[in-house]
Amino acid sequence: MDDRDQLAERFEAHRGHLRGVAFRMLGSLSDAEDAVQEAWVRLDRTGADQLENLLGWLTTVVGRICLDMLRSRKARREIGGHDDTVAAIPDERTAEPEQETLLVESVGRAMLVVLDRLSPAERVAFVLHDMFSVPFDEIAAIVNRTPVAAKKLASRARLRVTDASASSAGHVDLAWHRQVVESFLAAARGRDLAGLLAVLDPGVVRHADAAGLPPGVPLEVTGANAVVEETLLLTRNARFADVVLVNGGMGLVVAPRGRLLLALTFDIKDGRIIEYSVIGDPQRLAHLHFALPPR
């Protein structure tokens, strides 16, 4: 085995780790694979003779590559108003690739949606430090900031991810509301008629915008039986859903491949859903604030 083969073998031993880092930064398996492959190209060009910590060097390189990709993606959104990766969202009849499903589930659909709202530098700093324990002096070199500034980036991202502004008193209600929303989601996934009726108020109202529904479905439905009947027709997307805070209240995101497609907000009273909305319009989604529910 020559030196290049040995280098390739050492690189392959770290590929899974690097893919995980890149996926959390980019939220796209294809983009993550591109970033990892670019890291190999740079390693092959550089060699490992002077590298004391190959994994650390590779993680730093992947971080730089991902930061550039995130900035390029942000620029495309600002110019074109869209993100090319959205085109990769499967419709409700399409299964996610198994490898991508495993990655999405390991990170969490809600986490990926929340991370996507961070600035590129915030996302890189948060992922590297909070998820992979990379020191701030190394992160600073990636984001071209001082270690103190890199720490502030991660801290600011952490506050946005966890919605630390929520009061402890509000957490009590959120914990109770979370049980209701999780019960609704479990019943929708299991096509459980009785389970849905148990969490819906008899007079429940479901609102939606046109982008959040298939053609021909009414924008408003009233009454538990009517809402249940419709919900059972739309449960194909439930497998892509996850619980999240939406504008400070308990809700759901539907995120195939970790990419935001729909958001659901709920009005809950006495342990039952009295009203909920399905939001699919991109402009409305862009103005929603998402955060992870308190533990």
Side-chain angles (χ1 to χ4, degrees), residues 94-153:
T94 305
E96 293 172 329
E98 182 179 359
Q99 187 179 41
E100 189 152 19
T101 297
L102 293 174
L103 277 170
V104 170
E105 297 300 338
S106 69
V107 180
R109 296 179 192 276
M111 174 63 88
L112 289 170
V113 169
V114 172
L115 288 175
D116 202 41
R117 295 303 176 97
L118 302 178
S119 72
E122 286 174 343
R123 185 166 185 170
V124 169
F126 177 80
V127 168
L128 288 178
H129 182 266
D130 285 44
M131 295 184 173
F132 293 97
S133 301
V134 176
F136 283 119
D137 57 345
E138 296 180 20
I139 296 172
I142 295 172
V143 298
N144 196 28
R145 309 281 181 92
T146 66
V148 172
K151 186 174 182 179
K152 288 181 179 179
L153 282 172

Side-chain angles (χ1 to χ4, degrees), residues 224-288:
N225 288 330
V227 170
V228 165
E229 181 178 350
E230 180 202 82
T231 301
L232 292 177
L233 293 174
L234 301 176
T235 53
R236 293 185 296 264
N237 276 328
R239 69 186 187 275
F240 301 131
D242 199 4
V243 179
V244 71
L245 290 180
V246 185
N247 291 344
M250 198 60 63
L252 293 172
V253 286
V254 177
R257 297 184 179 175
R259 309 299 294 168
L260 179 62
L261 182 64
L262 302 172
L264 279 69
T265 61
F266 295 88
D267 191 355
I268 298 169
K269 183 179 180 180
D270 298 329
R272 287 194 168 190
I273 298 167
I274 62 173
E275 189 171 356
Y276 77 94
S277 298
V278 182
I279 302 167
D281 180 80
Q283 291 188 347
R284 293 185 66 194
L285 290 173
H287 287 90
L288 296 176

